[in-house]
Amino acid sequence: MRLFKKKEQAARHRGITPVTILCIPGSWTDLTEIKGAIWTSSSGEYMVVGEMLISIKRQRQYKIEVCDRDERMSVLFKNAGRLTRISEECLNEIEKHNLVIYISGDTGSLKEEIDVHGMAVAPGFINMLSWATESLIQDGRSQSDIRQGVTLEVMGEGTSMGPLNPKMKAEMASTQKDIKYKVAWNTLGEYLTYLEKKGVSCNVASFIGAGTVRTYVVGEDNRPPTPAELNQMQQLVKQAMQEGAMGVGSSLIYPPDFFAKTDELVALCKEASACGGIYISHMRSEGNKVNEALNELITIAREANIHAEVYHMKAAGKANWHKLDSMIHQIENARKQGLNITADMYTYLAGATGLTAAFPPSLQDGGFGKLWQRLHNPAIRTQMAKAMDSNATEWENLYYGAGSPDKVLLLAFKHDSLKKYTGKTLAEVAKLRKKSPEETAMDLIVQDSTRIEVAYFLMDENNVKKQIALPWVSFGSDEGSFANEGVFLKSNPHPRAYGNFIRVIGKYTRDDKVIRLQDAIRKLAYLPATNLKLKKRGALLKGYYADVVVFDPLKVQDHATYSNPHKYATGITDVFVNGVQVLKNGDHTGATPGRFIKGPGYRKK
């Protein structure tokens, strides 16, 4: 359908400035792509936000009002007139399906006004891959993500914070690093409820980790579960789904997830599918065997009849960059066949994980404790060093994929005596210690008694841009949500913790023009909300929860770098979570209105 170019030009001539993107659900291709745009004017139109949004409606004058359902109106957005950029035919189709209903409201009881002239007003963004599991225990304000407009953190990449048996609880307590806490829960639902009661500024949700379920029943050994054990694992998935989990998450390059065969994952996913959940996976390979790994994910989706998503989609390692096109073809071909396959990504060229990802999983059989013991054996160390320098096909060698030790950046240590190496490359530390990079890596892990967080530089910028443009790709930081103060300053996160989402609308939309602003907002909010089957989230629509972000599209900017990552993004001025303002004029209010967002299988006890 054609766009109203003349009306758009006339609007610009009258001084109307584009403001916000309105995510409207619909099945029409053109509507899905365009979504509708909201524009500001100086004519005094307004939106009102309380806990719930009541309506947004096209009038012949192209105006909107949004009113609070129960008239407990809290904030007025002044100057939020609407000029549509989609055709009359499309708008009539929206009205015919009753997707938008006009209800005017009394603005006399407003507590506060926000003038959004020249600003963007959008639904809250969703972090599809959050590791804020511990950072929110330490500081519930979720500052580094809230300041990027993120109102929902979704956790559970292979490892989840429940279910936990006594042995797992003891290990979780003993392996804590800078952040210390009491493990006061047993199940995943109890953990998420714990966060809500403790107080968090963002909403929280989680997948149940396939590795966590495996550890609970089988332990960390490299063996298949017995039929009885597999049934127990399925029951744990079912319990988590009924508590509110979003589905099953796996991380198949790491033990113990690596030890799980495809049929085991299918069995777990069938339980999640029966509850309406999805399967989301850090695939078995993102490099040498990425196409085979993607085939496995598609097979699981087909056999378990489940929506499947690729965590942090990438073709890792320069020798594999060319494989991205074939990955896209695989996914789009599966989608044409009726399978619901999606992906998420981060907007950087380096990934971050453990230094132990440089070691073969076969030498990590039994868990980290067994690996730590093996690293004291000279014969095994020789074997390990040789494996680190191999272009392995049977496991994912991120050290080799990075290309050299100067592309492995050390981020976080547990012991204070080693924190002096934070921010240095493995090559630099090896030179300081006068040992080979391989020996240095093993020594550091032994001395720190942790897997040591590092960044591996693996990706291609052209591929990043190509992925951002894909309509079925959303975004996840693969990091915690921190504050640039206190205990968080003892370690360096990946800069994506402070800049992943703002780069979508700053660098890649405004500056590089990879996608349009309305497409960016759809991919940051409506797309992930739809994938997760969230109720009344991800759009500015009648009856939706008021997770709202106000920002200046011309000024949003990331500032975090690998050498100085604790730098907040700028340009987001106001953020509301469940109708409560958590960011005001760029400053955090301290409010903690975040809730545990339940998945589709939730059953109230």
Side-chain angles (χ1 to χ4, degrees):
M1 299 179 182
R2 67 181 181 85
L3 303 182
F4 273 100
K5 295 294 184 183
K6 290 184 178 180
K7 286 190 176 182
E8 181 181 335
Q9 292 169 359
R12 290 183 181 276
H13 181 71
R14 292 195 303 271
I16 300 176
T17 308
V19 210
T20 198
I21 305 314
L22 177 60
C23 294
I24 304 175
S27 59
W28 309 283
T29 301
D30 59 334
L31 180 59
T32 301
E33 292 176 352
I34 298 169
K35 287 300 172 191
I38 294 176
W39 302 55
T40 52
S41 71
S42 57
S43 56
E45 285 73 62
Y46 59 87
M47 297 196 307
V48 181
V49 173
E51 181 185 16
M52 305 286 288
L53 300 175
I54 275 293
S55 66
I56 300 176
K57 161 74 176 174
R58 179 189 67 88
Q59 293 178 287
R60 290 297 167 187
Q61 297 81 12
Y62 301 105
K63 299 176 183 178
I64 61 165
E65 283 187 343
V66 184
C67 305
D68 187 85
R69 179 174 62 181
D70 54 11
E71 298 183 357
R72 291 185 292 106
M73 302 174 188
S74 57
V75 178
L76 170 68
F77 289 79
K78 294 173 58 179
N79 298 324
R82 175 174 180 231
L83 175 64
T84 183
R85 295 183 64 186
I86 55 182
S87 68
E88 285 291 326
E89 182 181 354
C90 198
L91 285 167
N92 291 335
E93 197 73 2
I94 294 171
E95 290 181 347
K96 184 173 72 176
H97 287 76
N98 199 31
L99 294 176
V100 211
I101 302 174
Y102 176 71
I103 303 176
S104 64
D106 176 18
T107 61
S109 60
L110 292 168
K111 301 176 182 177
E112 188 175 352
E113 289 186 358
I114 298 177
D115 192 336
V116 295
H117 182 68
M119 303 289 282
V121 185
F125 305 155
I126 296 174
N127 184 351
M128 280 297 292
L129 203 182
S130 171
W131 276 108
T133 48
E134 293 184 328
S135 60
L136 288 177
I137 295 175
Q138 175 69 29
D139 186 344
R141 292 175 297 172
S142 191
Q143 292 244 45
S144 64
D145 267 359
I146 285 289
R147 291 171 181 272
Q148 297 182 75
V150 175
T151 57
L152 172 60
E153 303 281 342
V154 186
M155 311 162 194
E157 184 201 3
T159 300
S160 54
M161 297 297 275
L164 304 174
N165 59 32
K167 181 180 178 181
M168 295 167 73
K169 290 183 71 171
E171 184 173 353
M172 182 177 285
S174 66
T175 56
Q176 292 171 11
K177 300 178 184 177
D178 296 331
I179 298 173
K180 310 294 183 184
Y181 55 91
K182 181 181 178 181
V183 185
W185 59 88
N186 295 301
T187 71
L188 180 57
E190 289 171 357
Y191 162 74
L192 292 166
T193 301
Y194 165 84
L195 285 183
E196 181 180 307
K197 290 182 177 180
K198 181 179 181 296
V200 288
S201 296
C202 56
N203 295 315
V204 292
S206 181
F207 294 91
I208 181 170
T212 300
V213 170
R214 189 172 224 279
T215 302
Y216 190 103
V217 178
V218 178
E220 297 182 89
D221 296 336
N222 182 7
R223 67 170 180 85
T226 66
E229 287 173 334
L230 183 58
N231 180 67
Q232 185 182 358
M233 292 165 68
Q234 289 177 299
Q235 292 307 306
L236 288 172
V237 170
K238 182 178 180 179
Q239 177 188 345
M241 294 300 298
Q242 292 177 349
E243 286 186 327
M246 292 292 162
V248 172
S250 69
S251 191
L252 300 177
I253 75 164
Y254 310 114
D257 298 50
F258 177 86
F259 304 140
K261 305 303 181 185
T262 305
D263 58 349
E264 177 182 322
L265 297 168
V266 169
L268 300 184
C269 286
K270 283 182 177 179
E271 288 294 332
S273 177
C275 298
I278 77 171
Y279 172 60
I280 189 164
S281 179
H282 180 157
M283 299 188 303
R284 213 173 287 275
S285 173
E286 296 175 327
N288 290 344
K289 288 196 171 182
V290 66
N291 299 113
E292 293 87 341
L294 185 51
N295 278 335
E296 180 185 36
L297 179 132
I298 293 170
T299 296
I300 292 169
R302 181 179 292 109
E303 293 188 7
N305 188 30
I306 195 168
H307 171 184
E309 175 150 321
V310 178
Y311 266 139
H312 44 56
M313 181 179 175
K314 65 174 73 72
K318 188 172 183 178
N320 298 305
W321 289 350
H322 69 283
K323 295 180 180 178
L324 180 64
D325 289 339
S326 60
M327 293 173 63
I328 294 170
H329 175 75
Q330 283 175 274
I331 292 175
E332 294 190 337
N333 186 53
R335 289 170 63 87
K336 288 177 183 177
Q337 294 174 18
L339 296 177
N340 193 354
I341 310 295
T342 54
D344 55 66
M345 64 176 292
Y346 45 78
T347 55
Y348 291 82
L349 302 186
T353 184
L355 189 53
T356 50
F359 303 154
S362 60
L363 293 177
Q364 301 183 56
D365 184 3
F368 180 81
K370 291 289 183 66
L371 171 66
W372 187 85
Q373 292 175 7
R374 291 182 183 118
L375 289 177
H376 290 79
N377 185 317
I380 291 180
R381 286 175 69 99
T382 299
Q383 181 183 354
M384 196 85 76
K386 184 178 179 180
M388 289 177 69
D389 290 321
S390 68
N391 188 16
T393 56
E394 67 277 10
W395 60 283
E396 193 84 337
N397 187 348
L398 298 188
Y399 176 76
Y400 187 91
S404 64
D406 65 329
K407 293 183 179 179
V408 180
L409 186 69
L410 304 174
L411 300 176
F413 296 89
K414 177 180 180 179
H415 291 288
D416 290 341
S417 61
L418 297 175
K419 289 184 182 293
K420 60 187 176 183
Y421 298 132
T422 300
K424 297 184 184 299
T425 67
L426 182 59
E428 290 173 323
V429 176
K431 185 177 181 180
L432 289 171
R433 290 184 158 219
K434 298 180 180 180
K435 287 190 175 183
S436 72
E438 295 79 9
E439 286 290 330
T440 300
M442 290 183 275
D443 287 346
L444 290 174
I445 288 170
V446 168
Q447 292 164 16
D448 202 49
S449 296
T450 72
R451 67 178 200 153
I452 301 179
E453 294 297 316
V454 300
Y456 296 97
F457 288 81
L458 298 164
M459 278 75 81
D460 172 57
E461 177 68 11
N462 290 329
N463 279 355
V464 169
K465 291 179 178 179
K466 187 178 292 186
Q467 291 177 200
I468 287 173
L470 295 168
W472 35 265
V473 172
S474 57
F475 300 94
S477 69
D478 199 5
E479 260 292 3
S481 185
F482 308 111
N484 61 1
E485 60 188 54
V487 69
F488 297 121
L489 299 182
K490 291 185 175 182
S491 299
N492 277 3
H494 191 297
R496 63 194 180 193
Y498 286 81
N500 188 62
F501 304 94
I502 212 76
R503 283 164 67 88
V504 177
I505 51 180
K507 173 177 170 54
Y508 290 107
T509 297
R510 180 196 60 220
D511 299 341
D512 295 349
K513 297 178 173 53
V514 175
I515 53 176
R516 302 171 301 175
L517 184 57
Q518 57 262 47
D519 298 319
I521 300 303
R522 185 188 74 86
K523 289 155 68 66
L524 285 162
Y526 179 67
L527 175 62
T530 303
N531 289 341
L532 293 169
K533 300 179 182 178
L534 301 185
K535 296 179 180 180
K536 301 180 181 180
R537 306 271 179 188
L540 302 178
L541 290 175
K542 177 186 178 182
Y544 275 48
Y545 290 95
D547 298 334
V548 182
V549 180
V550 181
F551 63 93
D552 188 335
L554 301 180
K555 294 182 179 179
V556 288
Q557 188 64 51
D558 65 292
H559 302 285
T561 64
Y562 292 98
S563 59
N564 192 6
H566 290 287
K567 298 287 247 182
Y568 291 134
T570 53
I572 302 284
T573 59
D574 301 272
V575 176
F576 296 80
V577 176
N578 300 314
V580 177
Q581 192 165 15
V582 296
L583 198 69
K584 180 178 181 180
N585 295 324
D587 294 324
H588 204 291
T589 66
T592 54
R595 298 176 184 172
F596 166 15
I597 307 301
K598 279 84 170 178
Y602 172 68
R603 290 187 182 180
K604 190 174 182 179
K605 294 181 180 180

